[in-house]
Amino acid sequence: MRVTVRLQPEARWVAEYYATSSVTERPDGRVEVELPTRGLGWVAALLLRLGPDAEVLEPAELGERRREMARRTLARYEGPGAEPAP
């Protein structure tokens, strides 16, 4: 399975740290990276960590997995007695 993400310049370290199938430099400083993977779990966690500095291009299901992981993480912090998120 391959995952394609577009990274802002602040997150281009991902292309240097992780194994990639391809890296495409864009004129605006962003890079598109293709990551080979056997599962989406670790990639979703990485994307959650990168926040707005990474955009999922393929597969579409990874974007939903990232959103669900973010909801679950936020729910842990909101626990009993916490202020709800806006």
Side-chain angles (χ1 to χ4, degrees):
M1 173 183 295
R2 296 182 196 272
V3 171
T4 306
V5 295
R6 183 177 298 132
L7 303 170
Q8 296 295 330
E10 297 80 11
R12 71 179 302 122
W13 62 267
V14 170
E16 298 162 3
Y17 188 81
Y18 292 98
T20 59
S21 300
S22 72
V23 177
T24 306
E25 302 273 344
R26 297 292 174 207
D28 62 2
R30 296 182 299 172
V31 292
E32 288 184 12
V33 178
E34 192 172 276
L35 301 165
T37 184
R38 291 185 182 178
L40 297 179
W42 75 269
V43 182
L46 173 64
L47 293 172
L48 185 62
R49 192 170 123 202
L50 294 172
D53 290 335
E55 174 187 355
V56 176
L57 301 179
E58 292 181 47
E61 69 190 75
L62 182 57
E64 180 53 39
R65 189 173 224 176
R66 176 189 194 182
R67 286 185 290 279
E68 179 58 31
M69 187 177 273
R71 282 191 288 271
R72 285 194 321 254
T73 302
L74 185 59
R76 288 181 184 158
Y77 285 97
E78 289 179 340
E83 293 284 323

